[in-house]
Amino acid sequence: MNDKKFYITTPIYYPSGKLHIGHSYTTVAADVMARYKRLQGYDVMFLTGTDEHGQKIEDKAREAGVTPQEFVDNIVAAPGGVLDLWKLMNISYDRFIRTTDAYHVESIQKIFKQMYDNGDIYKGSYKGKYCKPCESFWTESQLVDGKCPDCGREVMDAEEEAYFFRASKYADRVRDLLLNTDFLEPKSRVHEMVNNFIDCEGGLQDLCVSRTSFTWGVPVDFDPGHVVYVWLDALFNYMTALGYQNDQYHDLEKFWPADAHFVGKEIVRFHAIYWPAFLMSMDLPLPKKLYGHGWLNFNGDKMSKSKGNVVDPHLLSQRYGVDALRFFLLRSFPFGSDGNFTNELLIQTINNDLANDLGNLVSRTTAMAEKYFGGKLPEARQANPELDDSLISLAAGLRARYEDHMEKFQFQNALEEIFKVIQRANKYIDENAPWALAKDMEANGPRLAAVLYNLLESVRVCTVLLTPFIPDSCGKIFAQIGADENARTWDSAEQWGLLPGNICVTKGENLFPRIDMAKELSELDAIMEEAKKAALPELEVEPFIEEHVDFDTFCKSDFRAVKVKACENVRKSDKLLKFTLDDGTGTDRQILSGIAMYYKPEELVGKTLVAIVNLPPRKMMGRESQGMLISAVHTEKGEEVLHLLMVDDTIPAGAKLC
Ligand code: MSP
């Protein structure tokens, strides 16, 4: 039996809209960790899922005209939904929980009742500020500039009969957990939690854990009308998914307490304070580690699909490949800090690290093995310690340095160590100039074989350790360098010289093609523009003018039917058409109109239009305009569209409109 076990979780996602690349951040990181632990030989449980209750979902379902269950089913399981996204991102979760799963609902009801029975949940009345999108209640003092401290949006007054959880009772134990253990990381988040929520004015407040203002939640079975607060419902997913208080699963003993909960910084509060307090109330062991990672912003702004940002994981992975995307997320930003996602940085990272460094090393090495030895390296190899040792010792010591960072969830540093070896190996190619050695194969064959073998071994060790990050690409690299199962293991990453002497190397496809930055950015800009347009309302009508105009004033405007005798473009103007009009007076009237984008002059000749004829004449591009043609105006996909008002041709020129 394997006694090395590892239980890791992501937050469970709100299926309230489409997920963007920022949402993938926690899950990709947890996936890398799960794969890394499996590589080390651990029996891993990797849990993710969806958090499906709450007012926000109920409201959105109503807007969409479906039941809340239909609404969430559609986002979770439908094509393009959450499950699809995790498949796309190659997320190797072992279990997926939905908080609407019957077993979870049953467990939550039992947990709520037990906390009520042990006196930690009591009935009271809630008066406070409520942030609807975050489904969070706040006290006045917690608001920032009168707004929700999490999302910055407006809060509303709320009062209702509710159940409360005696969080205050656990304040000392939670403070102790945060200050005197390594439970919460990075450390920088600890003081924020303690100062803002425990050692704040009034101390840790009891938490409102039921709602009566909506129904889409786990019903409190002993008090109809109340549903369990989403956060209590959601947090316990980490245990119900193992079988806590249900018969669906039986993995609690094996995997609880969790080894790591990964969460974004804005939900650290729930996980660092209330979650341990809930567990203390139920007398349950606490998770070993909570890691609050930073946020990915987009061009310095909050990421959101609705802004037309190019942050759709489907689009990005189609253009660059899933591995490139996974790699970018963890290579470009320290996990604990905020990062600024830009398309430039993404392309730069792919070009520098994957195309230039890794891709080049693999393709040069395999190409030379094919070219000089037909893909089969000879057993006779001639070492040269002076030239070889620094590469070999750097590569052979890599696993230990990598492990050190991975254990602390410092993914960026772990990757940095790998890329130091890759860069060193590329330099080793230049130092040894295999192409020069190849000029005299008889004399230099064994030395050339040694150079290529050392390169292949460097590639192999790096690839073993890159596997959790870019699993598909690593599979392809292993195949190209002829690494069998033995040469792909965790142990093998510490053993230099594991590739068998008779390996068969084949230069395969170029794994990471270089991207033309300028061309790519302009294509992305075009996509962004399109997305922005698509997000605009189809048709928009000018707002109506509320102020009344008196009848006499209105009658002062002289509208007439006019017939187009001639029409032409005005020279040097993209916009203006010059009309010669019959207005019934016997004298031609000239009007200029900025309508050239919508009509060709010839198609207007003979038409009967409407003009206001008593505006003072004015000059446009040096020509006099004696009035204005009337158009209908609306906005279509953000662009103004004009239609000249045309009336029945039987209406004579000069007829007055009134
Ligand atoms: N349902 C809650 C979690 C309950 S866990 C018991 C929730 N869901 S969420 O869908 O809003 O967020 C899921 C995860 O995505 C969170 O860890 C959140 O921090 C993360 N991210 C969402 N946008 C993000 C970025 N732009 N950048 C990085 N991660 C962010 O919260």
Side-chain angles (χ1 to χ4, degrees), residues 144-412:
V144 177
D145 298 332
K147 305 222 165 96
C148 170
D150 271 357
C151 72
R153 278 180 276 213
E154 294 292 339
V155 289
M156 55 194 200
D157 288 322
E159 181 170 6
E160 57 185 46
E161 183 189 65
Y163 286 93
F164 285 82
F165 170 70
R166 250 179 246 289
S168 51
K169 177 173 157 189
Y170 297 98
D172 289 343
R173 281 178 68 189
V174 174
R175 184 194 296 101
D176 183 54
L177 172 76
L178 296 178
L179 290 178
N180 301 325
T181 73
D182 290 330
F183 168 70
L184 173 60
E185 287 196 8
K187 285 278 172 226
S188 55
R189 307 218 183 272
V190 169
H191 286 285
E192 185 196 331
M193 286 300 125
V194 174
N195 296 343
N196 294 355
F197 302 107
I198 303 180
D199 291 341
C200 54
E201 210 186 305
L204 180 58
Q205 305 283 312
D206 288 355
L207 180 72
C208 179
V209 286
S210 79
R211 299 284 182 267
T212 50
S213 53
F214 60 91
T215 55
W216 183 241
V218 176
V220 175
D221 51 359
F222 57 89
D223 194 349
H226 287 262
V227 292
V228 176
Y229 176 45
V230 272
W231 274 101
L232 194 151
D233 168 7
L235 284 162
F236 269 102
N237 92 89
Y238 301 131
M239 291 192 73
T240 61
L242 297 180
Y244 179 59
Q245 307 260 13
N246 65 66
D247 277 332
Q248 180 83 8
Y249 298 110
H250 301 94
D251 299 308
L252 202 64
E253 217 173 292
K254 183 166 169 190
F255 286 113
W256 192 256
D259 294 276
H261 291 315
F262 279 4
V263 303
K265 63 176 185 178
E266 86 288 10
I267 55 174
V268 165
R269 178 170 76 105
F270 296 99
H271 287 81
I273 294 180
Y274 301 115
W275 179 223
F278 290 155
L279 292 168
M280 288 169 187
S281 165
M282 296 293 283
D283 210 9
L284 290 162
L286 304 181
K288 294 178 198 160
K289 184 75 70 191
L290 169 67
Y291 197 95
H293 66 72
W295 266 60
L296 288 194
N297 297 319
F298 183 81
N299 289 341
D301 206 356
K302 209 170 169 184
M303 196 173 277
S304 107
K305 275 211 71 183
S306 56
K307 287 184 192 155
N309 290 342
V310 188
V311 288
D312 175 2
H314 294 273
L315 178 120
L316 293 173
S317 66
Q318 231 168 33
R319 297 182 83 81
Y320 313 116
V322 168
D323 276 352
L325 211 52
R326 290 171 56 104
F327 177 80
F328 165 74
L329 290 176
L330 297 173
R331 168 69 163 145
S332 309
F333 319 104
F335 192 45
S337 323
D338 287 351
N340 190 25
F341 180 112
T342 64
N343 293 109
E344 284 92 330
L345 184 61
L346 170 60
I347 298 164
Q348 229 171 51
T349 309
I350 295 175
N351 280 348
N352 292 349
D353 292 345
L354 295 179
N356 285 2
D357 287 351
L358 175 62
N360 237 341
L361 176 63
V362 174
S363 68
R364 285 161 95 192
T365 305
T366 52
M368 289 189 289
E370 265 196 351
K371 184 169 171 197
Y372 303 137
F373 296 110
K376 278 203 175 285
L377 294 194
E379 298 274 357
R381 298 194 295 265
Q382 185 196 331
N384 181 339
E386 216 172 289
L387 288 171
D388 300 342
D389 279 4
S390 77
L391 172 66
I392 295 176
S393 64
L394 194 69
L398 175 60
R399 197 190 87 168
R401 297 190 299 276
Y402 166 93
E403 185 175 16
D404 196 33
H405 295 304
M406 291 296 280
E407 290 300 318
K408 298 183 201 136
F409 314 124
Q410 293 171 347
F411 304 109
Q412 191 187 37

Side-chain angles (χ1 to χ4, degrees), residues 129 138-144 149 196 200-202 205:
K129 302 284 177 191
W138 302 98
T139 59
E140 199 80 49
S141 64
Q142 287 171 324
L143 301 179
V144 177
N196 294 355
C200 54
E201 210 186 305
Q205 305 283 312

Side-chain angles (χ1 to χ4, degrees), residues 86 196 213 266 268 303 306 313 411 434 444 470 522 553 574 601 619 656 658:
W86 296 153
N196 294 355
S213 53
E266 86 288 10
V268 165
M303 196 173 277
S306 56
F411 304 109
N444 302 327
I470 48 172
S522 82
T553 311
D574 297 335
K619 287 218 160 167
K656 186 171 166 70
C658 55

